[in-house]
Structures are given as C-alpha cells and as structure tokens.
Amino acid sequence: MENESGALSRVSGLFSARGYNIESLTVAPTEDPTLSRMTIVTNGSDAVIEQIVKQLNKLLDVVRVLDLNDGKYIERELMLVKVKASNQYQDEMKRISDIFRGRIIDVSDNTFTIEVTGSSSKLDAYLESLDSESIIETVRTGALGLGRGDRILKA
Amino acid sequence: MKPEIITGAEIVIRSLQKESVDFVFGYPGGAVLNIYDAIFKQKHFKHVLVRHEQAAVHAADAFSRATGKVGVALVTSGPGATNAVTGIATAYMDSIPMVIISGQVPTHAIGEDAFQECDTVGITRPCVKHNFLVKDVNKIASTIKKAFYIAATGRPGPVLVDIPKDITAEEAEFVYPETVALRSYTPVTKGHLGQIKKALDLLIKAKKPMVYSGGGVVLGDAAESLKKLIDTLGFPVTNTLMGLGGFPASDEKFLGMLGMHGTYEANMAMQDCDVLIAVGARFDDRVIGNPDHFLSKPRKIIHIDIDPASISKRVKIDVPIVGDVKIVLDDMLECYGEVKSDHDKSRVKPWLAQIKEWASKDCMAFEDDGSFIKPQKVIQTLHKVTNGDAFVTSDVGQHQMWAAQYYPFDKPRRWINSGGLGTMGVGLPYAMGCQLAFPDSQVACVTGEASIQMCIQELSTCKQFNLPIKIINLNNRYMGMVRQWQEFFYGNRYAESYMDALPDFVKLAESYGHVGMKIEKSADIEPALKEAFSEKLKEKLVFMDFITDQTENVFPMVPNGKGISEMILAGDS
Ligand SMILES: Cc1cc2nc3c(=O)[nH]c(=O)nc-3n(C[C@H](O)[C@H](O)[C@H](O)COP(=O)(O)OP(=O)(O)OC[C@H]3O[C@@H](n4cnc5c(N)ncnc54)[C@H](O)[C@@H]3O)c2cc1C
Ligand SMILES: Cc1ncc(C[n+]2csc(CCOP(=O)(O)OP(=O)(O)O)c2C)c(N)n1
Ligand SMILES: [Mg+2]
C-alpha cells in the first residue's frame, strides 16, 4: 500500500467497521520507499475472506492484496521473551531454546532475554514449553508472510 | 508564459472552475475565510449559502443526483465539518459523487486542540470514498483533481478535502493537471465478454426470468440501454427504491418496486424466478428480506456491478460481471444478436401469465371514502397535476414509501431520496439542489411533519435564492413509520412517536416569506395542488400542509426477518 499517513488507519478502520477479526497486523516500508507492505492475519469463512480482500482492494491506499493461503507461502514471526534467570529454570530454558533455535540476546542478574523466530504456531509452542512461572514478559511482531518461489506481490 | 502565482484559496477557486463547477453549497467560518474571500472576488460559480452545513451537503448531493455531475460543498473546520457528517454519510450510502472541501486549523496548530479543531479526516474516514488532508499549497490543485476523479469514477462516492487555513494563505504556481494516474485505483468498466455470454445463455434459456435493477442504472446513466435490452428480451422488471425511473414505470413489463414495501407481484416474481439478473443493485436487506428464505428457492443469479465488493456480499452469485452497467448492457445487447435464433420467447408465456395473476391482487389499492385525506391520494394527484414529470424529493418515513409507490417515474434522476442511510431532513435541501439545477422544472418535496422539522431552517435559503419548491407535507401528527412498527410489532405502544406541539406550518412558511396552505378535506386535494402549481404561484415556494389520515399504514409490508414473499397486505388483519 501507499506509504502515507492514514493508510494504516484506513485498513484497521475497515476491519473494525465491518466486524472482521485482526489476529495480527504488521507493516513497514519496502525497498520502494513510496510503498509499505502489510501482513494481516485474520480468520473467517471463505465468503468473509473474499469480502475482506474485496473491501481492502477498494481502499485507495491499497495497491494490491494477496491472499497467501491461495498458494504456498513462508510465514515468520519474531518474538522476544524475558524469563527469570534463577537456577531453577536455567537449564530447562536453555534446552528448550536450543530445540526452538532461540538465541539469548540479553542477560542480567535476574533475567534472560531470548529471541525466537518462526511461524506463529512455533512461537506458541515455544511459550507452552517454558514453565509459565518463569516468563516475565513477551513481545511479538505478528506474522510476516511471503509467497514461495515465483509468487510475488508487487505494485 | 509567466507562471501564475496565486494563493492557495485562489487555487481552490480556479480548480473548481477547471472542474466546471456551477454551484458550491456552503457556510463560512474562520478556517475557510481565505477561501470565502477568494469566492467574493470570482464569478465562475455561484455560492449557495445554506443555514446549516448538513443542508449544504444534502443540497450538493441532490444537485448530483439530479444532474449526474459532482456536487460540491464547502464547510469550515470543527463544528462545520461535524455538521456535514450526516450529509456525507447519506451520500456515501447511496454512492453519490461529491467533493466536500473543509477548512482545517493551521498546520502548526494541528493536534494542539486548537480552536475549532477536529480530526475531520479521521471522523469522516468511514463514510467517504476517500479523503485527503492537504499540507502543502503546491498540492491543492492536484488533490482537488484527484478528488473529482475518484468521486465520479468507479462506484461513485463522496470525497473530502481538508485544507488548513495557512495553506490557503500561502502562494504557489497554479498548474491544474490534465490527467490523474493512481496506481492503486483502476476501476474496471468493461465487462468480461465470456461472462456476458454465459449470462445471456442463462437468460435466453430461462423459463422464469426476472430483472432486478437498482441505483446503479441511474448512477451509470444506463436507463436507455436497459430499456433497449429489456424490450429485446421481453422480460419482467422490478426496481429498487434507488432504481426508480431507471426503467419506465409506465412500461407494461414493469412490476413496480420490490422489497419491504414492494408490490406483491414484484416480490413474488423475485422469489419464484429461475434466472435473476441484478443490474446495479446490491441485494440490500430491505430488498431481499431474510437471505436464508430468499436462498431457499433455487435460482441462477447474474449480477452486473462496478464494485466487485457488491457481488456475493449478501447472496452468492453464479455469474458475476464486474463493469459499468451501461457498457455491459450495450455489450450484452450486441452479443444477443449471436444467440437470437436460439431464443424461444414463447417459453416465458406461462411465467408472464403467472405474474399477471399476482398483479391482479391489486396490492396497491387503498380504501378511500372521502372522510379523510388519504396520503396515497395526495401523491396520485401530485402525479396527475405535474404530468408525472416533476422532480420529486422526499424525506424518510411513510410518506417516502407512498411517494415511491404512487408516483410512477418514467425517467431516471427524477426521484431523489435517501435510501441507504434513510436520513430524515434531506427532503427540503434535496429540493433546493434540484431546483437550482433545473430552475424551470417543477420540484416537489414530499415530507412529513417530523422530517421537515429537521432542516426547516432552509426555508430561509429558499427565500434568498427564490426557489419555488412545492412542499407536500403529509401531516399525520405521528412519526408514522415508527408508529406503524409500534402498531405491528410493539402492541400499539406508541413510545415517543407522537409529534406534539407542532408549529402552524402555514404561518411558519409565511414568516419566511413563502405561501402556506392548509388542506383538511379530501375534496380539496386537487384544487390545492393545482393552485400551488399554477402560473400564479409559479415563482413562489408553497408549503402545503395536508392533514392526513393518522392511522394509515404502508402496504404491502415484509416484516423484519421474513422472506420477501411473506408480505402483509392491506386487507390482512
Ligand atoms: C424507510 C425505508 C424503506 C425502504 N424500503 C425499501 C423497499 O421496500 N425496497 C427497496 O428496494 N428499498 C427500500 N429502501 C432502500 C434500501 O434501504 C436501499 O437503499 C436500496 O434498496 C438500495 O438500492 P440498490 O440495491 O439499487 O443500491 P444502491 O444503493 O443504489 O447501490 C447501487 C449499486 O450499483 C452499483 N453501481 C453504481 N454505479 C454503477 C455503474 N455505473 N455500473 C454498475 N454498477 C454501478 C454500486 O456499486 C451499488 O452496488 C428503504 C429505505 C428506507 C429509508
Ligand atoms: C435522522 C433520523 N432520525 C430518526 C430516524 C428514524 N425514523 C424513520 S421514519 C421516522 C418518522 C418520520 O416521521 P414523519 O417525517 O412525520 O414521516 P411519516 O412516517 O409520518 O410519513 C423516524 C423517526 C431517521 N430515519 N432519521
Ligand atoms: Mg408524520
């Protein structure tokens, strides 16, 4: 979509005005600074998704819409998790983080901060594997998506 | 040539001139004073000073509905803009092309809760096709160019341009772009030929075909094309409230309006057909009633619409055709030549006979023993007195439905009303827009004693601009439409629907310098209307206060949540 102020609120306003769900939404400028790219995770019946795509296409700031589920795609999300750094959790946390290819990116006397990337469901699984008592806070970017191979979304 | 350096305000004026704007409906205030000063110094367009910003937008909206041009309104920041919102939302719901220019506080003050500041772009975002905040004087002209282009193309709609006061004071070179290119906006106008052929194939094989045409035919100026195609096919036609006049009501193939207050024959045929073609109509809930009931009958549906989002929104469509209705209908007629020999017109005879039988119910008959003024009769007489050729605007309520039902429109753009938002108060400003656009035509505003009071202050504007509108006030001393629902669905509990303490409308009209008439007897309907439309009162606004039967209801009626074939008819108790 056009990289213009107001574009984001047009999209989010559309979702709330028409009662569509937003599970996550990420947006940032692209290699072409006049354009931003947004990934929205939503849910609904086929008819609802069809309407969402059509309604998004109607927005003047939206250049193109691609429903990634119509073909093969890659999904990634980044999460930062801050956990308690007590001996009780330490080994377990390191072991699980290894399995999920998480990296410890910050250490303090009381905390570890781990960075994990993957599909949203992988991040969910990672969180579930940790002892919930040990989690201090989490922050997630929301999912990013890209078509595989020749599936390209360009203006 | 020397570059033309002028102020932002002058750029606004020159841009409107470039768009061949004849009228700007507006109301001044601090943030637009630069623009008003530039208006003072120009003679390209006429500024119509209303008495409330809502009316400015309604009048500009009606100007557009009546002429097909883009309507223009100008309001100040803050309260000017918020007053305009009802008008903008009304135009948005009915897809009316408009440009609204609003003043904004100076750029440096934005966000500081400045005097008369409001987030106009934010407030109007959900009820405009698009809007802009112009923060650079060099962008005023190109933004206005875009606004007009966006408003008028594709599915039309209102576009708002918000301009801070300092921007209208700054100077820049005036260059009006010849063309607009927007990479994110490329409306499709030509329909897919394969789809058109598929549709024709279904249509010529149909045993029970039905044409359901709507506001898109009026907006797309496609009435002639529709008529040609229907004359060729010989199929029955119904119109939505917004489509009235898009197909001539006097044509024998016309079944009347459909929907909540549609005719028995139109609704039965809509439900029972085997192939339905929707032409610029959007399967509104007031039209198809309960969608599950509607879909319980199998039928194939073809849908022509310029907006892909209108297609399969409420009802799944078998043959979608995205495109401009006129272009698609013309292509369809052309393609018909190829399949004409396969079209056996006798196939639909039993269907037409069935429709005739439905029509014989005469669902629009009403009892009239002459003891009360029947609102239906007032409208029928209005039709007679104006030779069916007036611009008829209406407000919202029972009177609106009676106007739609009893004034058969043969031409598009003659019936001007708020269908989608159903905004009480539009009637009088709508009549102003029509009368200014067509000063020599008859303009009737059919209203109710509740609705008319929502923009009554415009009687003053009418005086200032000598607008000889004829106001037909169907005065039932009730918010009739509300009362009807309370009678049918709330056990006659008329909660707050009684219009108490009504003004003396005759004196009220007179105090604004107009002519007032009170009509209390059925026998006086015709003489009074004749007088109001006579040569003698040709130059005058006449406010006709018809004291009508308080208990009259609108029939047929499809109760909320019911299917369209489940109508309550006038005789039912
Ligand atoms: C009190 C009250 C009672 C009502 N009762 C009824 C009733 O009984 N029956 C009824 O019909 N309505 C009724 N309405 C009106 C109803 O609410 C809707 O406004 C109306 O039915 C919509 O009409 P439409 O489907 O023709 O669509 P419109 O709102 O006129 O929309 C036009 C459609 O055409 C498309 N279009 C526009 N331009 C073009 C073009 N150039 N080419 C192709 N497509 C185009 C648009 O995308 C849109 O889908 C009532 C309203 C009120 C206030
Ligand atoms: C601005 C606005 N407020 C409320 C309504 C709800 N409403 C619809 S019809 C109606 C009553 C209209 O009364 P009147 O103008 O007297 O017309 P009648 O139905 O009696 O012919 C009301 C209150 C509306 N449509 N618009
Ligand atoms: Mg009333």
Side-chain angles (χ1 to χ4, degrees):
Chain A
M1 51 192 223
E2 303 291 345
N3 183 12
E4 279 185 21
S5 67
L8 171 61
S9 52
R10 277 183 222 282
V11 172
S12 59
L14 175 93
F15 274 74
S16 61
R18 295 192 182 265
Y20 307 140
N21 227 358
I22 298 185
E23 273 179 27
S24 76
L25 183 159
T26 66
V27 59
T30 64
E31 72 284 2
D32 172 352
T34 68
L35 287 172
S36 303
R37 178 160 170 145
M38 184 183 267
T39 307
I40 303 172
V41 180
T42 182
N43 53 43
S45 63
D46 288 353
V48 169
I49 300 294
E50 181 183 329
Q51 262 299 308
I52 293 177
V53 171
K54 285 174 169 177
Q55 294 292 348
L56 282 171
N57 266 316
K58 266 175 84 167
L59 294 178
L60 263 290
D61 289 333
V62 171
V63 182
R64 270 196 64 195
V65 183
L66 177 69
D67 182 352
L68 285 170
N69 282 294
D70 287 345
K72 292 198 169 133
Y73 67 95
I74 306 161
E75 175 193 341
R76 285 291 180 278
E77 182 172 357
L78 167 65
M79 172 167 68
L80 304 180
V81 188
K82 194 182 288 175
V83 297
K84 290 181 191 156
S86 67
N87 290 335
Q88 187 190 345
Y89 302 121
Q90 207 156 312
D91 291 344
E92 178 72 351
M93 189 271 295
K94 279 192 178 143
R95 194 178 62 79
I96 295 171
S97 298
D98 277 347
I99 295 172
F100 284 88
R101 292 175 205 230
R103 290 195 305 142
I104 297 171
I105 54 171
D106 186 49
V107 181
S108 74
D109 287 350
N110 303 319
T111 66
F112 279 113
T113 301
I114 308 119
E115 170 195 312
V116 199
T117 57
S119 68
S120 302
S121 52
K122 175 180 157 186
L123 303 191
D124 293 341
Y126 173 71
L127 284 179
E128 275 168 31
S129 315
L130 293 178
D131 187 328
S132 62
E133 289 291 305
S134 69
I135 301 173
I136 301 170
E137 60 176 331
T138 62
V139 58
R140 300 169 65 148
T141 57
L144 298 174
L146 204 65
R148 281 193 187 270
D150 291 338
R151 277 193 92 202
I152 293 163
L153 175 64
K154 275 263 182 198
Chain B
M1 222 171 68
K2 231 176 77 191
E4 205 181 352
I5 308 289
I6 55 180
T7 65
E10 285 162 338
I11 292 176
V12 172
I13 306 300
R14 294 291 306 279
S15 301
L16 296 179
Q17 181 202 355
K18 287 277 186 190
E19 293 294 338
S20 311
V21 170
D22 313 301
F23 291 100
V24 171
F25 299 84
Y27 206 89
V32 283
L33 281 182
N34 294 328
I35 299 177
Y36 271 88
D37 195 45
I39 286 178
F40 191 83
K41 299 174 192 157
Q42 61 87 43
K43 343 189 232 319
H44 305 303
F45 57 80
K46 186 168 178 140
H47 179 273
V48 180
L49 177 69
V50 293
R51 300 300 185 265
H52 187 300
E53 288 87 351
Q54 178 185 346
V57 183
H58 287 330
D61 163 342
F63 179 85
S64 172
R65 291 182 200 239
T67 62
K69 295 182 193 163
V70 176
V72 182
L74 171 62
V75 298
T76 191
S77 67
T82 55
N83 271 352
V85 169
T86 300
I88 299 172
T90 303
Y92 179 69
M93 287 297 279
D94 290 340
S95 307
I96 306 303
M98 290 192 62
V99 170
I100 302 98
I101 296 174
S102 53
Q104 183 53 276
V105 300
T107 38
H108 59 81
I110 290 179
E112 295 181 349
D113 298 324
F115 177 64
Q116 296 197 325
E117 176 180 5
C118 76
D119 177 8
T120 304
V121 164
I123 287 175
T124 57
R125 191 174 289 133
C127 60
V128 292
K129 185 170 173 185
H130 196 64
N131 57 20
F132 298 94
L133 172 63
V134 188
K135 283 183 163 172
D136 176 356
V137 65
N138 292 298
K139 290 202 172 140
I140 294 179
S142 60
T143 305
I144 292 180
K145 175 82 188 177
K146 277 186 208 162
F148 274 83
Y149 172 71
I150 293 167
T153 51
R155 179 176 182 167
V159 179
L160 179 133
V161 183
D162 199 26
I163 316 180
K165 187 171 184 179
D166 54 329
I167 301 299
T168 53
E170 282 171 21
E171 293 189 333
E173 183 184 351
F174 178 66
V175 192
Y176 204 66
E178 293 290 320
T179 54
V180 198
L182 293 163
R183 62 179 162 188
S184 56
Y185 178 71
T186 44
V188 174
T189 53
K190 187 145 171 71
H192 190 278
L193 270 184
Q195 291 292 91
I196 291 174
K197 286 183 179 157
K198 224 161 131 186
L200 262 180
D201 188 53
L202 276 177
L203 287 170
I204 61 167
K205 289 188 183 138
K207 289 200 182 97
K208 302 192 281 181
M210 178 71 178
V211 183
Y212 148 55
S213 88
V217 172
V218 177
L219 293 163
D221 291 314
E224 271 180 42
S225 303
L226 180 67
K227 173 94 170 99
K228 268 194 218 149
L229 181 71
I230 301 305
D231 283 346
T232 308
L233 294 171
F235 291 170
V237 181
T238 182
N239 277 164
T240 65
L241 181 74
M242 300 315 292
L244 295 174
F247 189 80
S250 56
D251 192 296
E252 54 170 11
K253 297 185 282 305
F254 186 61
L255 309 187
M257 183 172 84
L258 85 166
M260 180 173 275
H261 295 297
T263 65
Y264 184 71
E265 53 272 31
N267 284 352
M268 293 302 283
M270 181 79 172
Q271 183 69 6
D272 208 43
C273 63
D274 65 351
V275 177
L276 177 68
I277 176 165
V279 190
R282 56 185 176 82
F283 294 86
D284 186 83
D285 48 305
R286 292 238 153 167
V287 170
I288 59 159
N290 181 337
D292 294 332
H293 178 275
F294 181 66
L295 292 172
S296 65
K297 279 252 169 178
R299 63 174 93 62
K300 292 277 180 223
I301 309 181
I302 302 157
H303 190 175
I304 306 172
D305 205 294
I306 200 153
D307 178 5
S310 275
I311 296 177
S312 292
K313 179 160 65 183
R314 305 194 64 241
V315 165
K316 183 101 189 91
I317 302 301
D318 301 288
V319 185
I321 305 173
V322 176
D324 175 67
V325 57
K326 185 171 168 23
I327 298 175
V328 173
L329 290 174
D330 290 346
D331 282 349
M332 202 174 258
L333 187 61
E334 208 178 300
C335 293
Y336 178 77
E338 296 165 25
V339 293
K340 195 173 169 200
S341 49
D342 300 334
H343 188 199
D344 172 10
K345 287 190 179 174
S346 67
R347 195 199 293 266
V348 300
K349 274 196 182 141
W351 173 236
L352 297 181
Q354 166 73 73
I355 289 174
K356 220 176 208 146
E357 196 190 311
W358 284 326
S360 70
K361 249 198 156 70
D362 198 10
C363 67
M364 226 63 111
F366 58 95
E367 273 177 35
D368 181 12
D369 61 9
S371 53
F372 291 105
I373 292 185
K374 288 289 176 178
Q376 301 94 322
K377 186 167 173 203
V378 177
I379 305 295
Q380 284 177 336
T381 314
L382 174 69
H383 182 260
K384 184 174 155 196
V385 169
T386 57
N387 298 316
D389 204 28
F391 286 85
V392 179
T393 75
S394 96
D395 265 301
V396 172
Q398 290 183 318
H399 61 273
Q400 176 189 21
M401 293 299 110
W402 288 317
Q405 291 174 328
Y406 294 93
Y407 197 109
F409 291 92
D410 274 344
K411 293 181 194 160
R413 300 195 181 279
R414 291 300 170 107
W415 166 237
I416 315 286
N417 83 134
S418 162
L421 201 66
T423 309
M424 287 170 71
V426 296
L428 183 53
Y430 273 3
M432 293 172 3
C434 293
Q435 192 77 75
L436 283 159
F438 297 98
D440 299 326
S441 296
Q442 293 177 333
V443 178
C445 163
V446 176
T447 183
E449 78 295 332
S451 292
I452 191 69
Q453 293 192 72
M454 285 210 178
C455 273
I456 193 82
Q457 75 286 343
E458 297 309 315
L459 285 174
S460 175
T461 310
C462 293
K463 184 65 194 167
Q464 184 181 346
F465 293 89
N466 297 314
L467 305 179
I469 294 159
K470 313 303 174 204
I471 297 173
I472 320 292
N473 187 34
L474 298 178
N475 186 343
N476 51 9
R477 285 84 70 215
Y478 272 114
M479 297 175 199
M481 186 56 92
V482 173
R483 191 201 56 73
Q484 177 168 348
W485 281 58
Q486 290 169 333
E487 178 186 332
F488 289 8
F489 313 119
Y490 294 89
N492 298 308
R493 292 182 298 281
Y494 299 147
E496 308 295 327
S497 56
Y498 182 69
M499 288 303 283
D500 213 347
L502 288 171
D504 178 334
F505 285 111
V506 172
K507 281 193 189 147
L508 182 73
E510 285 169 358
S511 81
Y512 279 106
H514 302 305
V515 176
M517 287 183 188
K518 185 168 184 170
I519 304 99
E520 295 177 275
K521 289 209 282 294
S522 184
D524 293 339
I525 298 174
E526 186 160 342
L529 280 166
K530 277 191 170 150
E531 189 188 343
F533 284 97
S534 70
E535 227 10 70
K536 190 180 88 192
L537 295 177
K538 197 164 185 271
E539 311 284 311
K540 289 285 193 183
L541 183 148
V542 183
F543 193 115
M544 310 183 76
D545 190 20
F546 287 93
I547 308 303
T548 62
D549 184 352
Q550 276 195 293
T551 60
E552 193 58 57
N553 287 321
V554 180
F555 293 110
M557 178 176 192
V558 179
N560 231 9
K562 292 279 183 185
I564 45 166
S565 55
E566 303 174 316
M567 287 159 275
I568 309 173
L569 300 177
D572 303 348
S573 52

